[in-house]
Structure formats: C-alpha cells, structure tokens
C-alpha cells in the first residue's frame, strides 16, 4: 500500500531534502522516524529536492508498506511528529492509489522567494535583506518574459546532472506585502537545481538597472549559466505548495 505524507519544515539546519553522506537531511529524519515506528527499514520519496537551507511550507513524500499499517495513519502521523525534531512537522498521512508518485504525479510546484528593503530583526532568517533601490514594476515585466520560454538552462546550476532543462512556467510575479517587503512567486511543472534563486538574482539585476529587458531575454535564449545573475541565498526560499 502506498501512503502520502504531507509535511513542512524549516530547512535552516539541514543539508537539503535529500539524504547526504556527510550531513543531516529532512529525508533522513523521516527515514529514521518511520523505521522506528514501523519496525523495519523504511524509505520515502519526495516531490522534489530542496537545497541546503531552503524551507518548505508544503512538501509531499510517499512510502510503501506491505500489508496493513500497525496503527491508523492519523496515529502514525501523531507519533511521527513526537519523534521528529521541532523543525519538521507532519500535517497528514493518507493512503493513496499505488500508481500515484510524490514526484512524478505532481502537476505543479510553487516557490516564494522573500526579500525586504528595510532592516528587520524578525525577517533576517527567512528573507533576503537588500540595500539598493529596485524597480519592481520593471522586474515584473521581466518576470512575465519567463512564461514565453521553456528552456531554462541559463538558470540551472552548472554541471548539474539533468536530462533536460525544459520547464513549463505558468506564473511568475513579484508581490508586495508591505512598504518594505516583497516576495517572488513562481509556478512550474518542474524546476531545475538552483533555478529559482538564479532567476531571482537575474531579475534583481533588471531591477537595479544593470540588465535591460532585451538583455534579460537574451540571457534566457543563450542558455548559459554564466550570463545570468548570481544565485541568491537559500534561507529566503520556500517551497509553498504542490498540486496533483
């Protein structure tokens, strides 16, 4: 039987979602907790791979278990929450059809990247503080250009082991939440490694007047990571939701 786990986590102290040989990971913590509760080695498959320090308001993972669980899914979720560190929270465990896959059955993923333009002691861990004027209207015009393309090799981490750099972006926009706080929202069927942080870094170059809209377009068309902006810090990036 296959089960979906819906969870959230603060990625500050993790080396990303995926198990690492020399660092703690969210996936590793789930493996440990489930294996203890179900008394057999368990593995989970996630909907994606968030990088070091990146957070998730919603992550979905699945695991397979032969026969019936020794407890109700709701009770398993409760006990797993008791075992897991405080920076990982299980919202739900539910049985699903065997053909559903946490990664391959997802139809879209949405990320938010948070920035603030005035010093704040309360935002520093989960938002990127910027100290220069930005033209967010111009950045939104550039963001709309993303939806005209499908090959985002320019924003893929160099030497990443990927079979394709094609992604279908359905939404990309900056949203203002106060006089000094904004977030960039982007939705796509899939994302490349480091893609969102590279896109944000390049849009900021536009907002600072260092990159014209036509130059931004040429960066996308050139498909070279070296032409795009710097990768922004991971602490301000959140996986917000996943659709199936």
């Amino acid at each position: 039987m296959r089960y979906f786990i819906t969870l959230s986590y603060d990625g500050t102290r993790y080396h990303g979602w995926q198990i690492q040989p020399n660092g703690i990971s969210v996936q590793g913590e789930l493996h440990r907790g489930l294996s203890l509760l179900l008394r057999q080695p368990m593995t989970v498959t996630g909907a994606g791979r968030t990088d070091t320090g990146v957070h998730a308001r919603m992550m979905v993972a699945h695991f397979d278990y032969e026969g019936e669980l020794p407890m109700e899914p709701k009770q398993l979720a409760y006990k797993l929450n008791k075992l897991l560190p405080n920076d990982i929270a299980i919202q739900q465990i539910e049985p699903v059809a065997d053909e559903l896959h946490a990664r391959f059955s997802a139809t879209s993923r949405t990320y938010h990247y948070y920035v603030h333009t005035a010093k704040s002691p309360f935002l520093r861990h989960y938002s990127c503080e910027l100290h220069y004027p930005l033209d967010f209207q111009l950045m939104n015009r550039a963001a709309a250009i993303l939806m005209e393309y499908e090959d985002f090799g320019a924003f893929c981490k160099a030497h990443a082991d990927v079979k394709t750099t094609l992604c279908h972006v359905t939404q990309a926009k900056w949203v203002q939440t106060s006089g000094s706080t904004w977030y960039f929202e982007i939705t796509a069927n899939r994302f490349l490694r480091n893609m969102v942080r590279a896109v944000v870094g390049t849009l900021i170059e536009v907002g600072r007047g260092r990159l014209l809209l036509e130059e931004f377009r040429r960066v996308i068309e050139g498909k070279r990571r070296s032409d795009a902006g710097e990768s922004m810090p991971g602490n301000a990036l959140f996986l917000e939701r996943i659709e199936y």
Side-chain angles (χ1 to χ4, degrees):
M1 187 74 183
R2 178 157 290 179
Y3 294 86
F4 266 23
I5 306 174
T6 305
L7 66 148
S8 56
Y9 54 85
D10 179 330
T12 301
R13 69 185 189 96
Y14 295 101
H15 291 257
W17 160 265
Q18 191 175 18
I19 286 180
Q20 303 292 327
N22 299 308
I24 60 172
S25 67
V26 179
Q27 187 183 34
E29 292 294 327
L30 284 177
H31 285 185
R32 180 185 62 83
L34 279 175
S35 298
L36 282 170
L37 289 172
L38 299 178
R39 300 184 179 183
Q40 65 183 63
M42 298 297 298
T43 60
V44 298
T45 300
R49 300 176 182 177
T50 54
D51 291 335
T52 298
V54 176
H55 320 289
R57 294 192 205 277
M58 178 188 183
M59 171 62 89
V60 178
H62 77 249
F63 69 91
D64 296 323
Y65 188 84
E66 290 190 14
E68 290 193 14
L69 288 174
M71 62 192 82
E72 291 295 318
K74 187 175 181 179
Q75 185 183 21
L76 178 60
Y78 172 79
K79 290 191 172 184
L80 188 55
N81 267 327
K82 300 290 281 186
L83 274 178
L84 290 170
N86 290 335
D87 49 14
I88 302 175
I90 307 298
Q91 279 79 52
Q92 182 176 259
I93 297 178
E94 59 180 336
V96 297
D98 289 341
E99 62 268 19
L100 279 178
H101 192 284
R103 180 182 175 189
F104 299 123
S105 297
T107 56
S108 73
R109 298 154 174 86
T110 298
Y111 281 89
H112 285 182
Y113 193 91
Y114 293 84
V115 302
H116 56 287
T117 56
K119 184 177 180 180
S120 168
F122 308 110
L123 296 177
R124 69 191 191 280
H125 294 308
Y126 305 107
S127 177
C128 182
E129 187 173 324
L130 303 176
H131 298 283
Y132 31 74
L134 289 168
D135 186 337
F136 283 95
Q137 184 176 0
L138 187 61
M139 289 158 68
N140 260 333
R141 289 174 62 191
I145 293 173
L146 293 167
M147 290 179 280
E148 299 177 23
Y149 293 89
E150 291 196 335
D151 193 328
F152 295 99
F155 306 117
C156 183
K157 186 178 179 68
H159 311 300
D161 183 20
V162 293
K163 294 180 180 178
T164 176
T165 52
L166 299 181
C167 307
H168 181 54
V169 176
T170 54
Q171 182 167 254
K173 62 181 179 180
W174 287 91
V175 178
Q176 186 170 16
T177 52
S178 78
S180 61
T181 58
W182 298 73
Y183 66 83
F184 176 63
E185 178 172 282
I186 184 167
T187 301
N189 63 327
R190 65 188 291 266
F191 286 91
L192 307 171
R193 187 176 179 187
N194 208 43
M195 176 175 164
V196 180
R197 290 188 286 152
V199 166
V200 172
T202 312
L203 289 173
I204 284 174
E205 290 294 289
V206 174
R208 297 182 72 179
R210 294 181 170 185
L211 199 66
L212 300 175
L213 290 179
E214 281 307 309
E215 292 173 326
F216 180 75
R217 189 182 293 275
R218 286 199 292 272
V219 166
I220 300 173
E221 293 173 353
K223 305 175 188 177
R224 293 184 298 272
R225 179 65 186 93
S226 58
D227 292 339
E230 67 175 300
S231 178
M232 302 297 287
N235 68 293
L237 181 60
F238 285 74
L239 174 57
E240 291 283 334
R241 61 183 178 271
I242 304 167
E243 301 287 344
Y244 288 90

mmCIF file of all heavy atoms in Angstrom, residues 9-29 49-55 87-88 193 197:
data_model
loop_
_atom_site.group_PDB
_atom_site.id
_atom_site.type_symbol
_atom_site.label_atom_id
_atom_site.label_comp_id
_atom_site.label_asym_id
_atom_site.label_seq_id
_atom_site.Cartn_x
_atom_site.Cartn_y
_atom_site.Cartn_z
ATOM 1 N N TYR A 9 8.727 22.056 6.801
ATOM 2 C CA TYR A 9 9.958 22.081 7.577
ATOM 3 C C TYR A 9 10.712 23.394 7.410
ATOM 4 O O TYR A 9 10.587 24.080 6.404
ATOM 5 C CB TYR A 9 10.882 20.909 7.209
ATOM 6 C CG TYR A 9 11.219 20.763 5.751
ATOM 7 C CD1 TYR A 9 12.264 21.478 5.159
ATOM 8 C CD2 TYR A 9 10.509 19.870 4.940
ATOM 9 C CE1 TYR A 9 12.587 21.325 3.818
ATOM 10 C CE2 TYR A 9 10.820 19.705 3.595
ATOM 11 C CZ TYR A 9 11.861 20.440 3.046
ATOM 12 O OH TYR A 9 12.174 20.279 1.712
ATOM 13 N N ASP A 10 11.449 23.705 8.448
ATOM 14 C CA ASP A 10 12.400 24.808 8.441
ATOM 15 C C ASP A 10 13.739 24.198 8.039
ATOM 16 O O ASP A 10 14.309 23.374 8.757
ATOM 17 C CB ASP A 10 12.474 25.418 9.846
ATOM 18 C CG ASP A 10 13.453 26.577 9.953
ATOM 19 O OD1 ASP A 10 14.454 26.590 9.207
ATOM 20 O OD2 ASP A 10 13.234 27.451 10.807
ATOM 21 N N GLY A 11 14.246 24.592 6.889
ATOM 22 C CA GLY A 11 15.446 23.954 6.354
ATOM 23 C C GLY A 11 16.760 24.508 6.870
ATOM 24 O O GLY A 11 17.826 24.086 6.404
ATOM 25 N N THR A 12 16.716 25.402 7.858
ATOM 26 C CA THR A 12 17.918 26.108 8.296
ATOM 27 C C THR A 12 19.084 25.176 8.622
ATOM 28 O O THR A 12 20.216 25.411 8.199
ATOM 29 C CB THR A 12 17.608 26.980 9.529
ATOM 30 O OG1 THR A 12 16.579 27.922 9.185
ATOM 31 C CG2 THR A 12 18.844 27.733 9.986
ATOM 32 N N ARG A 13 18.833 24.124 9.360
ATOM 33 C CA ARG A 13 19.948 23.288 9.819
ATOM 34 C C ARG A 13 20.138 22.012 8.984
ATOM 35 O O ARG A 13 20.919 21.141 9.348
ATOM 36 C CB ARG A 13 19.778 22.930 11.297
ATOM 37 C CG ARG A 13 18.638 21.984 11.611
ATOM 38 C CD ARG A 13 18.498 21.790 13.106
ATOM 39 N NE ARG A 13 17.539 20.717 13.401
ATOM 40 C CZ ARG A 13 17.895 19.457 13.636
ATOM 41 N NH1 ARG A 13 19.173 19.118 13.609
ATOM 42 N NH2 ARG A 13 16.983 18.535 13.893
ATOM 43 N N TYR A 14 19.435 21.941 7.855
ATOM 44 C CA TYR A 14 19.530 20.736 7.030
ATOM 45 C C TYR A 14 20.333 20.984 5.754
ATOM 46 O O TYR A 14 20.311 22.073 5.190
ATOM 47 C CB TYR A 14 18.130 20.224 6.666
ATOM 48 C CG TYR A 14 17.363 19.762 7.885
ATOM 49 C CD1 TYR A 14 16.388 20.582 8.458
ATOM 50 C CD2 TYR A 14 17.636 18.543 8.476
ATOM 51 C CE1 TYR A 14 15.703 20.182 9.584
ATOM 52 C CE2 TYR A 14 16.955 18.135 9.609
ATOM 53 C CZ TYR A 14 15.993 18.958 10.161
ATOM 54 O OH TYR A 14 15.315 18.567 11.292
ATOM 55 N N HIS A 15 20.985 19.925 5.300
ATOM 56 C CA HIS A 15 21.718 19.976 4.033
ATOM 57 C C HIS A 15 20.765 19.619 2.887
ATOM 58 O O HIS A 15 21.068 18.783 2.042
ATOM 59 C CB HIS A 15 22.902 19.014 4.069
ATOM 60 C CG HIS A 15 23.994 19.437 5.003
ATOM 61 N ND1 HIS A 15 25.174 20.004 4.568
ATOM 62 C CD2 HIS A 15 24.073 19.410 6.356
ATOM 63 C CE1 HIS A 15 25.933 20.287 5.610
ATOM 64 N NE2 HIS A 15 25.291 19.942 6.705
ATOM 65 N N GLY A 16 19.591 20.217 2.921
ATOM 66 C CA GLY A 16 18.587 19.978 1.902
ATOM 67 C C GLY A 16 17.662 18.831 2.247
ATOM 68 O O GLY A 16 17.739 18.218 3.316
ATOM 69 N N TRP A 17 16.762 18.537 1.313
ATOM 70 C CA TRP A 17 15.817 17.435 1.488
ATOM 71 C C TRP A 17 16.506 16.083 1.413
ATOM 72 O O TRP A 17 16.294 15.210 2.243
ATOM 73 C CB TRP A 17 14.718 17.507 0.427
ATOM 74 C CG TRP A 17 14.008 16.187 0.235
ATOM 75 C CD1 TRP A 17 14.281 15.230 -0.704
ATOM 76 C CD2 TRP A 17 12.954 15.657 1.041
ATOM 77 N NE1 TRP A 17 13.466 14.150 -0.546
ATOM 78 C CE2 TRP A 17 12.631 14.379 0.513
ATOM 79 C CE3 TRP A 17 12.240 16.139 2.136
ATOM 80 C CZ2 TRP A 17 11.634 13.583 1.055
ATOM 81 C CZ3 TRP A 17 11.231 15.340 2.686
ATOM 82 C CH2 TRP A 17 10.944 14.079 2.151
ATOM 83 N N GLN A 18 17.333 15.898 0.403
ATOM 84 C CA GLN A 18 17.869 14.583 0.065
ATOM 85 C C GLN A 18 18.966 14.135 1.022
ATOM 86 O O GLN A 18 19.781 14.926 1.489
ATOM 87 C CB GLN A 18 18.423 14.599 -1.354
ATOM 88 C CG GLN A 18 18.761 13.231 -1.915
ATOM 89 C CD GLN A 18 19.192 13.316 -3.372
ATOM 90 O OE1 GLN A 18 19.550 14.384 -3.855
ATOM 91 N NE2 GLN A 18 19.161 12.205 -4.068
ATOM 92 N N ILE A 19 18.969 12.834 1.308
ATOM 93 C CA ILE A 19 19.988 12.250 2.171
ATOM 94 C C ILE A 19 21.386 12.564 1.644
ATOM 95 O O ILE A 19 21.650 12.443 0.446
ATOM 96 C CB ILE A 19 19.793 10.718 2.279
ATOM 97 C CG1 ILE A 19 18.585 10.422 3.177
ATOM 98 C CG2 ILE A 19 21.034 10.030 2.836
ATOM 99 C CD1 ILE A 19 18.305 8.953 3.354
ATOM 100 N N GLN A 20 22.268 12.998 2.556
ATOM 101 C CA GLN A 20 23.639 13.337 2.220
ATOM 102 C C GLN A 20 24.590 12.450 3.019
ATOM 103 O O GLN A 20 24.292 12.072 4.147
ATOM 104 C CB GLN A 20 23.922 14.812 2.547
ATOM 105 C CG GLN A 20 23.002 15.804 1.870
ATOM 106 C CD GLN A 20 23.209 15.860 0.373
ATOM 107 O OE1 GLN A 20 24.316 15.682 -0.107
ATOM 108 N NE2 GLN A 20 22.132 16.097 -0.369
ATOM 109 N N PRO A 21 25.750 12.141 2.451
ATOM 110 C CA PRO A 21 26.697 11.272 3.168
ATOM 111 C C PRO A 21 27.298 11.928 4.403
ATOM 112 O O PRO A 21 27.644 11.239 5.364
ATOM 113 C CB PRO A 21 27.771 10.974 2.116
ATOM 114 C CG PRO A 21 27.672 12.091 1.127
ATOM 115 C CD PRO A 21 26.226 12.478 1.096
ATOM 116 N N ASN A 22 27.417 13.269 4.384
ATOM 117 C CA ASN A 22 28.096 13.946 5.494
ATOM 118 C C ASN A 22 27.278 15.091 6.077
ATOM 119 O O ASN A 22 27.834 16.106 6.489
ATOM 120 C CB ASN A 22 29.455 14.476 5.022
ATOM 121 C CG ASN A 22 30.381 13.377 4.547
ATOM 122 O OD1 ASN A 22 30.589 12.401 5.259
ATOM 123 N ND2 ASN A 22 30.916 13.523 3.344
ATOM 124 N N GLY A 23 25.964 14.939 6.129
ATOM 125 C CA GLY A 23 25.133 15.999 6.685
ATOM 126 C C GLY A 23 23.722 15.509 6.935
ATOM 127 O O GLY A 23 23.278 14.528 6.343
ATOM 128 N N ILE A 24 23.027 16.195 7.828
ATOM 129 C CA ILE A 24 21.658 15.782 8.126
ATOM 130 C C ILE A 24 20.709 16.308 7.056
ATOM 131 O O ILE A 24 20.917 17.379 6.485
ATOM 132 C CB ILE A 24 21.207 16.244 9.524
ATOM 133 C CG1 ILE A 24 21.274 17.776 9.634
ATOM 134 C CG2 ILE A 24 22.053 15.586 10.609
ATOM 135 C CD1 ILE A 24 20.660 18.307 10.913
ATOM 136 N N SER A 25 19.657 15.545 6.796
ATOM 137 C CA SER A 25 18.685 15.916 5.774
ATOM 138 C C SER A 25 17.279 15.641 6.296
ATOM 139 O O SER A 25 17.085 14.849 7.222
ATOM 140 C CB SER A 25 18.912 15.123 4.488
ATOM 141 O OG SER A 25 18.618 13.747 4.702
ATOM 142 N N VAL A 26 16.297 16.295 5.681
ATOM 143 C CA VAL A 26 14.900 16.074 6.060
ATOM 144 C C VAL A 26 14.494 14.640 5.716
ATOM 145 O O VAL A 26 13.845 13.946 6.517
ATOM 146 C CB VAL A 26 13.978 17.088 5.354
ATOM 147 C CG1 VAL A 26 12.518 16.835 5.731
ATOM 148 C CG2 VAL A 26 14.385 18.516 5.701
ATOM 149 N N GLN A 27 14.875 14.179 4.545
ATOM 150 C CA GLN A 27 14.561 12.814 4.136
ATOM 151 C C GLN A 27 15.138 11.799 5.124
ATOM 152 O O GLN A 27 14.473 10.830 5.503
ATOM 153 C CB GLN A 27 15.116 12.554 2.737
ATOM 154 C CG GLN A 27 14.700 11.221 2.133
ATOM 155 C CD GLN A 27 15.345 11.003 0.764
ATOM 156 O OE1 GLN A 27 16.472 11.422 0.528
ATOM 157 N NE2 GLN A 27 14.627 10.359 -0.128
ATOM 158 N N GLY A 28 16.361 12.030 5.564
ATOM 159 C CA GLY A 28 16.991 11.131 6.520
ATOM 160 C C GLY A 28 16.247 11.072 7.841
ATOM 161 O O GLY A 28 16.105 9.997 8.444
ATOM 162 N N GLU A 29 15.753 12.211 8.306
ATOM 163 C CA GLU A 29 14.982 12.240 9.553
ATOM 164 C C GLU A 29 13.676 11.457 9.417
ATOM 165 O O GLU A 29 13.263 10.746 10.335
ATOM 166 C CB GLU A 29 14.691 13.686 9.958
ATOM 167 C CG GLU A 29 15.903 14.484 10.389
ATOM 168 C CD GLU A 29 16.518 13.975 11.677
ATOM 169 O OE1 GLU A 29 15.785 13.487 12.554
ATOM 170 O OE2 GLU A 29 17.753 14.045 11.802
ATOM 171 N N ARG A 49 13.602 18.190 -4.477
ATOM 172 C CA ARG A 49 14.821 18.203 -3.678
ATOM 173 C C ARG A 49 15.183 19.642 -3.343
ATOM 174 O O ARG A 49 15.851 20.312 -4.132
ATOM 175 C CB ARG A 49 15.977 17.553 -4.443
ATOM 176 C CG ARG A 49 15.730 16.109 -4.826
ATOM 177 C CD ARG A 49 16.885 15.601 -5.671
ATOM 178 N NE ARG A 49 16.678 14.218 -6.099
ATOM 179 C CZ ARG A 49 17.512 13.551 -6.887
ATOM 180 N NH1 ARG A 49 18.610 14.159 -7.339
ATOM 181 N NH2 ARG A 49 17.271 12.306 -7.230
ATOM 182 N N THR A 50 14.728 20.127 -2.210
ATOM 183 C CA THR A 50 15.115 21.473 -1.807
ATOM 184 C C THR A 50 16.581 21.468 -1.391
ATOM 185 O O THR A 50 17.088 20.496 -0.843
ATOM 186 C CB THR A 50 14.245 21.977 -0.642
ATOM 187 O OG1 THR A 50 14.288 21.034 0.434
ATOM 188 C CG2 THR A 50 12.799 22.174 -1.085
ATOM 189 N N ASP A 51 17.269 22.584 -1.668
ATOM 190 C CA ASP A 51 18.697 22.689 -1.386
ATOM 191 C C ASP A 51 18.958 23.032 0.074
ATOM 192 O O ASP A 51 18.035 23.293 0.849
ATOM 193 C CB ASP A 51 19.327 23.760 -2.289
ATOM 194 C CG ASP A 51 19.361 23.359 -3.752
ATOM 195 O OD1 ASP A 51 19.360 22.143 -4.022
ATOM 196 O OD2 ASP A 51 19.367 24.258 -4.612
ATOM 197 N N THR A 52 20.231 23.093 0.415
ATOM 198 C CA THR A 52 20.657 23.433 1.774
ATOM 199 C C THR A 52 20.039 24.753 2.222
ATOM 200 O O THR A 52 20.109 25.764 1.511
ATOM 201 C CB THR A 52 22.193 23.550 1.834
ATOM 202 O OG1 THR A 52 22.759 22.289 1.493
ATOM 203 C CG2 THR A 52 22.650 23.955 3.222
ATOM 204 N N GLY A 53 19.410 24.730 3.397
ATOM 205 C CA GLY A 53 18.850 25.935 3.986
ATOM 206 C C GLY A 53 17.500 26.362 3.465
ATOM 207 O O GLY A 53 16.893 27.300 3.991
ATOM 208 N N VAL A 54 16.976 25.695 2.434
ATOM 209 C CA VAL A 54 15.685 26.060 1.845
ATOM 210 C C VAL A 54 14.554 25.419 2.653
ATOM 211 O O VAL A 54 14.679 24.301 3.142
ATOM 212 C CB VAL A 54 15.619 25.625 0.366
ATOM 213 C CG1 VAL A 54 14.238 25.904 -0.228
ATOM 214 C CG2 VAL A 54 16.700 26.341 -0.439
ATOM 215 N N HIS A 55 13.441 26.126 2.761
ATOM 216 C CA HIS A 55 12.321 25.694 3.594
ATOM 217 C C HIS A 55 11.160 25.169 2.739
ATOM 218 O O HIS A 55 11.119 25.395 1.531
ATOM 219 C CB HIS A 55 11.816 26.855 4.451
ATOM 220 C CG HIS A 55 12.911 27.706 5.015
ATOM 221 N ND1 HIS A 55 13.750 27.273 6.008
ATOM 222 C CD2 HIS A 55 13.336 28.960 4.679
ATOM 223 C CE1 HIS A 55 14.628 28.234 6.298
ATOM 224 N NE2 HIS A 55 14.394 29.263 5.496
ATOM 225 N N ASP A 87 11.685 21.203 14.003
ATOM 226 C CA ASP A 87 11.684 21.959 12.747
ATOM 227 C C ASP A 87 11.115 21.160 11.569
ATOM 228 O O ASP A 87 11.197 21.583 10.425
ATOM 229 C CB ASP A 87 13.089 22.482 12.413
ATOM 230 C CG ASP A 87 14.168 21.421 12.519
ATOM 231 O OD1 ASP A 87 13.828 20.227 12.595
ATOM 232 O OD2 ASP A 87 15.365 21.792 12.528
ATOM 233 N N ILE A 88 10.532 19.999 11.866
ATOM 234 C CA ILE A 88 9.800 19.222 10.852
ATOM 235 C C ILE A 88 8.435 18.893 11.418
ATOM 236 O O ILE A 88 8.323 18.408 12.549
ATOM 237 C CB ILE A 88 10.523 17.906 10.488
ATOM 238 C CG1 ILE A 88 11.936 18.179 9.983
ATOM 239 C CG2 ILE A 88 9.728 17.129 9.437
ATOM 240 C CD1 ILE A 88 12.754 16.915 9.722
ATOM 241 N N ARG A 193 17.781 22.476 -10.663
ATOM 242 C CA ARG A 193 18.520 22.741 -9.444
ATOM 243 C C ARG A 193 19.009 24.184 -9.438
ATOM 244 O O ARG A 193 19.608 24.652 -10.403
ATOM 245 C CB ARG A 193 19.706 21.775 -9.328
ATOM 246 C CG ARG A 193 20.428 21.884 -7.996
ATOM 247 C CD ARG A 193 21.527 20.866 -7.867
ATOM 248 N NE ARG A 193 22.205 21.006 -6.599
ATOM 249 C CZ ARG A 193 23.298 20.347 -6.266
ATOM 250 N NH1 ARG A 193 23.840 19.490 -7.119
ATOM 251 N NH2 ARG A 193 23.862 20.532 -5.089
ATOM 252 N N ARG A 197 16.529 30.578 -7.350
ATOM 253 C CA ARG A 197 17.469 31.558 -6.801
ATOM 254 C C ARG A 197 18.260 32.253 -7.902
ATOM 255 O O ARG A 197 18.606 33.430 -7.782
ATOM 256 C CB ARG A 197 18.400 30.884 -5.802
ATOM 257 C CG ARG A 197 17.668 30.487 -4.507
ATOM 258 C CD ARG A 197 18.638 29.998 -3.451
ATOM 259 N NE ARG A 197 19.142 28.675 -3.748
ATOM 260 C CZ ARG A 197 20.337 28.233 -3.346
ATOM 261 N NH1 ARG A 197 21.161 29.029 -2.707
ATOM 262 N NH2 ARG A 197 20.706 27.003 -3.615
#
